[in-house]
Amino acid sequence: PSTHWIYAVLVAVMFLDLAVIRHLFCKYMCIYRVWQHMFKTRETLHVAYDTARASECAHCRYCEEACFLELDPKRTFEYDSCINCGECIAACEELHAKSRKYAPPGLLRFALGPDPRAQTDGRLRAASLRGRIKAALIGAAAGFALFAVGLAGYAPHQLIVDHAEAQAGMLSDYRVMVRHKLYRPARFELSVAGLDPRWWRLDATTLTLSTAGRAETRLHLSPAMPKGLHRIVVRAQADDGWSGEFVIMHYAGGGDGRAQGSHAGQNRVGKNP
Ligand code: SF4
Ligand code: SF4
């Protein structure tokens, strides 16, 4: 099955994020953030709030406004999902640099080593643990969902039809190929529908494989076939019950005695036994 819908969904989500939601990507999908979060330890650089100077906090919330992850920088410690961008520190320092009342800066700062609050504040530790469990559960659920989608769409075989010969824009033959993905023998019966048997010929109507691999044959179209657009369906029926089909839109020029023109392939989902 085509996987183009995945790109369509991603593009739609990104446009929606840029236009409406803002920073959804940063919060939930950014690989850098997840990567950084995974390797945080108690010794990792983090944003620290000087609780001894809490009375100097103006409660202006500039730091919270500056945080695009919507964290409260006064409550971050080493296991939070802060990415250490420093925007909150810059916002707080700007306020303190301008103010006589709240000087000197440093209420929010970068620090290394364990944050004392992480040792003493059970609520912070519990919130951090909850956050990590939630992230792990969401990641596991997404992984299982992708695995289930992949499993549901898995086909043991695949039928492909493409150009075999294209000389000076003239098409007359097609390559018909089956892919066999299992390590056991397989046999495929090929057939063509949608076109009078006078106008086509398959080099082989049976393809056999002793193990995983691919096998191919040629579909020849008659140069004398009627002018116009022809919808040709190539089918493959495997001995294990799987069947697949491939639709070709072939334009025959006629008149000059040669089949010519465009080919548009459409691979249809094979049916599993
Ligand atoms: S360093 Fe950046 S991500 Fe971390 S709390 Fe401050 S503004 Fe938010
Ligand atoms: S920006 Fe600084 S002063 Fe303002 S609320 Fe945040 S920590 Fe307090």
Side-chain angles (χ1 to χ4, degrees):
S2 169
T3 53
H4 291 173
W5 63 271
I6 294 176
Y7 300 109
V9 168
L10 281 178
V11 169
V13 166
M14 290 196 74
F15 274 114
L16 206 64
D17 178 31
L18 287 173
V20 187
I21 303 171
R22 309 300 308 272
H23 296 133
L24 174 73
F25 186 88
C26 313
K27 280 190 209 167
Y28 301 111
M29 296 161 77
C30 175
I31 296 298
Y32 173 75
R33 179 179 176 228
V34 174
W35 187 253
Q36 189 186 37
H37 191 54
M38 275 169 56
F39 291 100
K40 277 191 173 181
T41 69
R42 290 186 187 282
E43 305 300 322
T44 310
L45 185 78
H46 60 276
V47 173
Y49 175 62
D50 191 347
T51 47
R53 291 176 54 198
S55 60
E56 295 175 29
C57 175
H59 303 291
C60 59
R61 300 185 64 196
Y62 283 173
C63 50
E64 292 175 50
E65 299 289 334
C67 179
F68 70 98
L69 289 176
E70 296 175 8
L71 299 175
D72 180 353
K74 300 187 295 303
R75 291 177 56 81
T76 57
F77 66 108
E78 61 262 38
Y79 290 123
D80 270 335
S81 51
C82 164
I83 60 161
N84 292 344
C85 69
E87 290 295 324
C88 54
I89 296 174
C92 187
E93 299 228 329
E94 198 176 326
L95 171 85
H96 280 76
K98 287 179 186 166
S99 165
R100 290 183 186 162
K101 183 179 174 187
Y102 298 118
L107 193 53
L108 280 177
R109 65 185 194 286
F110 281 122
L112 290 165
D115 186 326
R117 290 171 301 158
Q119 315 297 323
T120 55
D121 192 335
R123 282 175 308 164
L124 280 179
R125 284 211 304 276
S128 171
L129 185 64
R130 276 200 306 274
R132 278 178 288 155
I133 290 174
K134 200 166 121 189
L137 287 178
I138 291 172
F144 276 121
L146 281 175
F147 181 70
V149 169
L151 209 58
Y154 176 77
H157 318 292
Q158 189 181 13
L159 171 68
I160 297 169
V161 181
D162 57 16
H163 303 180
E165 284 180 13
Q167 292 174 0
M170 308 297 175
L171 300 177
S172 57
D173 293 352
Y174 287 91
R175 183 177 64 148
V176 178
M177 183 171 74
V178 287
R179 282 200 183 121
H180 172 47
K181 303 175 189 170
L182 306 175
Y183 289 94
R184 58 175 169 73
R187 177 188 168 94
F188 300 88
E189 298 295 337
L190 302 177
S191 60
V192 175
L195 195 62
D196 191 300
R198 285 176 297 163
W199 311 126
W200 63 268
R201 177 173 57 83
L202 276 168
D203 277 350
T205 54
T206 302
L207 295 175
T208 52
L209 290 115
S210 56
T211 184
R214 62 179 70 174
E216 63 182 60
T217 186
R218 295 288 169 107
L219 168 65
H220 302 278
L221 300 180
S222 167
M225 65 191 293
K227 182 177 181 179
L229 190 63
H230 298 274
R231 184 176 182 276
I232 306 167
V233 182
V234 180
R235 294 200 175 102
Q237 174 72 52
D239 55 358
D240 62 3
W242 176 90
S243 68
E245 63 181 40
F246 200 103
V247 178
I248 312 165
M249 299 305 293
H250 179 89
Y251 179 75
D256 61 358
R258 288 185 296 186
Q260 58 177 274
S262 62
H263 150 272
Q266 182 192 354
N267 197 353
R268 292 199 164 170
V269 179
K271 292 191 187 106
N272 287 315

